Amino acid sequence: MPKSDTSRLYHQLVKRMRALADIKNAMALLQWDQETYMPKGGAQFRGQQLTTLAELAHRMGTSPALGKLLEKLLDKAELSEVERKNVELTHLYYQKAKRYPSSLVKALTQAANRCFMAWIQARQEHQFAVFAPELEKMIALKKQEAEILGYPACPYDALLDQHERGLTTEILENIFPPLQANLISLLSKIQQKPQPPDDFLYAYADKQQQWEFGLYLLQAMGFDFNKGRQDLSEHPFTTSFSPHDVRVTTRMHEHQLATMVWSCIHEGGHALYEQGLPAEQYGMPGGQASSLVIHESQSRLWENCIGRSLAFWTFHYPAWQKRFPTPFSHIALEDFYRAINLVKPSLIRTEADELTYHLHIFIRYEIEKKLINEHLPIQELPDLWNALYAEMLDVKVSDDVQGVLQDVHWSHGSLGYFPTYTLGSLLAAQWWEQLQQELPQLDEALAQGQTAPILNWLRKHIHGYGSLYTAEELCRRVTGKPLQADAFLRYVQQKYFRIYGLE
Ligand code: CO
């Protein structure tokens, strides 16, 4: 009776993985609460509760019984294709988790805490030197981690693989340098043209009106409020406890309406992905959101390809004007469209436009390679940062808070993370091109306020697979092409040639 034996074992695995997912999702709920509603005084015990649950999850995820079960299942020929993938991927994660000595897990957690505190203090005091010693310790631990994980060519590969399975420096070296050259050449053409005015985007906007407009946009995208909600937090993020409970957050400033709008659409894109995961696969790789590149391809598709398109705002701009009549009742759609797509080199990554954004990423990528593969002394970091900003973006950094201290990532120990932002944009452009081929009336539909055809397509081709495929695999399956920059370059060229009247 081999078949029933296999299904009995597979059922045992599902049961274990669901229990593990329950613990992890309970942690996610505690973390969400920490960022939204927890009173300040709750921090100490909340930290303790999260540590206890993290240890429990680590024990469950590395238990010898789980290992034995996976070994048995790997030998079974009767598994369906999805079951087999679920078993293989769970086995891969199991082996990875087993490789970490508990001393390293603890050291990394503690270093991240200290490094984060030092980063906050360094920003307050405008002193990189306050951050430097803790960052140095963190880098040393990340190098140690890379050695434990192993890598094909250089230690940085091990860190890239943590954020996108199979990603290597070699892959990035084939994509980033030519993309960089193309973007810089396009940027210099744009800079020879007059800039459209965008001052009206910074006009006063009532917070209650902003909040309601954010909800309106989520609704327009197809966000299901029976299976999710929006709240306020210091930094916008998306989290999920199951496909039936997905949370987005936003923040508002009275003179930054645009920041709220596009961050709302961005997080909405992440959330639609989470809501579209197959609930029956809860706890298994097939029911989990894939690694960062696919996740970011969803947020950026909505934020940029859709959310900065003329077609989308043809329908929604009247709603914007109605809610914010001063000054927008006097701003024509075309002027609004040009303003929201303004290209301008700047110091801050998160405020960058769609085009120069990637230059910010290439700078971090160059620095991370030097930190992990070579032995760049930490104290040389600000000078290198500032020199790269002068070279690539032609902007001058006069304060480290606006420079090397602007991102939180390194303080968490997230190295190898930044490249996934650019890859997410490239992949978004590939989905967008495919969507336009398969849904030929796409612009007309968007101009009539219809986003359901897009969401249905994403559900069918992307969301339904969870993390069964890497970004590269999914890209080939859906578009027939490898993950590359061609579609993105066609997209930005078409868009900015029109906006700036280039030849
Ligand atoms: Co994102």
Side-chain angles (χ1 to χ4, degrees):
M1 303 187 294
K3 173 77 185 169
S4 68
D5 184 43
T6 301
S7 70
R8 185 178 53 81
L9 289 174
Y10 188 76
H11 184 72
Q12 281 178 21
L13 177 66
V14 170
K15 213 174 141 193
R16 276 178 182 273
M17 297 314 290
R18 284 190 179 164
L20 180 54
D22 289 342
I23 305 282
K24 287 183 177 168
N25 287 316
M27 289 173 69
L29 176 56
L30 290 183
Q31 279 158 341
W32 169 84
D33 177 69
Q34 199 169 27
E35 305 271 334
T36 50
Y37 294 105
M38 188 187 75
K40 269 205 179 87
Q44 187 202 335
F45 282 106
R46 182 57 50 87
Q48 181 185 313
Q49 290 150 0
L50 282 165
T51 308
T52 302
L53 288 175
E55 278 169 11
L56 181 58
H58 185 72
R59 235 182 297 146
M60 288 168 77
T62 55
S63 83
L66 175 60
K68 278 195 196 117
L69 183 57
L70 286 165
E71 295 289 344
K72 278 187 207 161
L73 276 163
L74 280 175
D75 288 338
K76 301 291 178 193
E78 304 89 358
L79 294 169
S80 73
E81 200 190 323
V82 171
E83 288 170 347
R84 170 151 301 281
K85 277 236 137 212
N86 275 332
V87 169
E88 285 171 358
L89 287 171
T90 307
H91 186 246
L92 182 76
Y93 304 142
Y94 174 81
Q95 283 184 313
K96 274 205 167 159
K98 284 291 257 191
R99 250 179 254 171
Y100 281 80
S102 56
S103 58
L104 180 63
V105 176
K106 208 169 173 185
L108 279 166
T109 313
Q110 285 172 347
N113 273 332
R114 276 201 305 265
C115 208
F116 178 67
M117 299 308 287
W119 176 73
I120 301 265
Q121 199 192 337
R123 281 173 61 85
Q124 280 163 359
E125 295 176 17
H126 297 256
Q127 285 284 340
F128 176 75
V130 174
F131 182 46
E134 295 302 333
L135 181 61
E136 193 163 18
K137 285 178 211 157
M138 175 59 87
I139 299 293
L141 284 170
K142 296 307 283 185
K143 286 181 179 172
Q144 215 180 311
E145 190 180 8
E147 293 306 322
I148 285 170
L149 290 168
Y151 44 81
C154 60
Y156 189 57
D157 290 346
L159 304 185
L160 289 171
D161 182 81
Q162 285 184 310
H163 302 293
E164 176 64 34
R165 186 156 46 89
L167 185 61
T168 62
T169 315
E170 193 189 346
I171 294 172
L172 292 179
E173 288 300 315
N174 282 322
I175 299 176
F176 282 5
L179 176 59
Q180 183 180 321
N182 275 305
L183 290 180
I184 287 176
S185 138
L186 179 55
L187 180 61
S188 78
K189 284 183 197 147
I190 287 173
Q191 287 183 302
Q192 286 160 23
K193 293 282 181 175
Q195 284 291 356
D198 73 334
D199 51 313
F200 45 81
L201 290 177
Y202 303 94
Y204 169 83
D206 176 71
K207 282 190 180 176
Q208 185 58 31
Q209 290 293 330
Q210 289 196 38
W211 176 256
E212 284 166 23
F213 192 56
L215 294 178
Y216 162 88
L217 289 169
L218 287 170
Q219 190 101 47
M221 293 165 69
F223 182 87
D224 183 349
F225 282 93
N226 283 318
K227 295 176 177 170
R229 50 177 287 134
Q230 177 172 264
D231 295 271
L232 288 174
S233 69
E234 192 69 34
H235 299 282
F237 67 94
T238 302
T239 188
S240 141
F241 320 127
S242 78
H244 297 168
D245 190 352
V246 179
R247 311 290 176 98
V248 290
T249 70
T250 192
R251 65 176 161 193
M252 298 176 296
H253 298 290
E254 280 170 344
H255 290 275
Q256 289 176 20
L257 172 58
T259 308
M260 187 287 294
V261 165
W262 279 279
S263 127
C264 190
I265 301 176
H266 180 97
E267 299 308 329
H270 282 303
L272 289 177
Y273 179 30
E274 295 281 350
Q275 288 188 334
L277 293 168
E280 69 280 4
Q281 290 281 326
Y282 176 86
M284 305 304 282
Q288 270 158 26
S290 190
S291 52
L292 293 173
V293 175
I294 294 176
H295 230 309
E296 201 64 15
S297 79
Q298 298 304 293
S299 55
R300 282 164 195 249
L301 175 77
W302 286 98
E303 180 192 353
N304 295 330
C305 306
I306 301 167
R308 289 184 203 274
S309 71
L310 190 56
F312 181 83
W313 289 108
T314 298
F315 185 82
H316 293 291
Y317 187 51
W320 174 311
Q321 287 176 305
K322 203 171 161 209
R323 229 170 250 284
F324 308 102
T326 318
F328 292 98
S329 58
H330 300 291
I331 308 290
L333 173 65
E334 181 71 28
D335 294 329
F336 169 79
Y337 171 66
R338 284 159 58 90
I340 66 172
N341 285 293
L342 185 82
V343 172
K344 193 177 178 189
S346 63
L347 285 170
I348 308 291
R349 175 184 61 87
T350 54
E351 289 162 19
D353 56 81
E354 264 185 275
L355 203 157
T356 60
Y357 183 90
H358 301 287
L359 302 176
H360 293 260
I361 297 299
F362 299 149
I363 290 170
R364 287 154 181 77
Y365 167 66
E366 289 305 322
I367 292 176
E368 289 190 344
K369 279 190 297 179
K370 284 192 172 28
L371 285 170
I372 299 296
N373 295 337
E374 299 163 33
H375 299 281
L376 177 74
I378 295 290
Q379 60 273 21
E380 289 177 20
L381 205 49
D383 284 347
L384 177 60
W385 179 285
N386 300 349
L388 285 167
Y389 265 83
E391 184 192 318
M392 263 198 238
L393 283 149
D394 196 22
V395 291
K396 191 175 175 304
V397 184
S398 49
D399 177 350
D400 287 339
V401 173
Q402 310 252 296
V404 69
L405 290 173
Q406 69 178 265
D407 299 305
V408 71
H409 301 58
W410 291 341
S411 81
H412 288 158
S414 292
L415 284 103
Y417 189 125
F418 286 117
T420 67
Y421 288 133
T422 289
L423 293 180
S425 286
L426 304 187
L427 189 55
Q430 288 183 276
W431 302 144
W432 187 234
E433 210 169 72
Q434 194 66 25
L435 263 160
Q436 282 172 318
Q437 277 167 25
E438 293 185 27
L439 309 172
Q441 304 297 315
L442 193 56
D443 272 2
E444 288 80 355
L446 269 180
Q448 287 164 20
Q450 296 166 20
T451 51
I454 297 176
L455 184 54
N456 292 338
W457 187 92
L458 295 172
R459 291 266 189 264
K460 183 173 166 213
H461 296 282
I462 296 160
H463 303 174
Y465 292 104
S467 56
L468 293 184
Y469 301 107
T470 63
E472 175 70 24
E473 288 166 348
L474 197 59
C475 185
R476 283 180 189 269
R477 280 178 70 98
V478 176
T479 70
K481 295 183 187 112
L483 206 174
Q484 56 192 10
D486 303 31
F488 178 76
L489 282 169
R490 281 192 288 274
Y491 161 75
V492 287
Q493 264 162 14
Q494 196 186 20
K495 180 169 187 169
Y496 294 113
F497 271 48
R498 181 188 176 278
I499 289 174
Y500 282 94
L502 300 169
E503 302 292 318

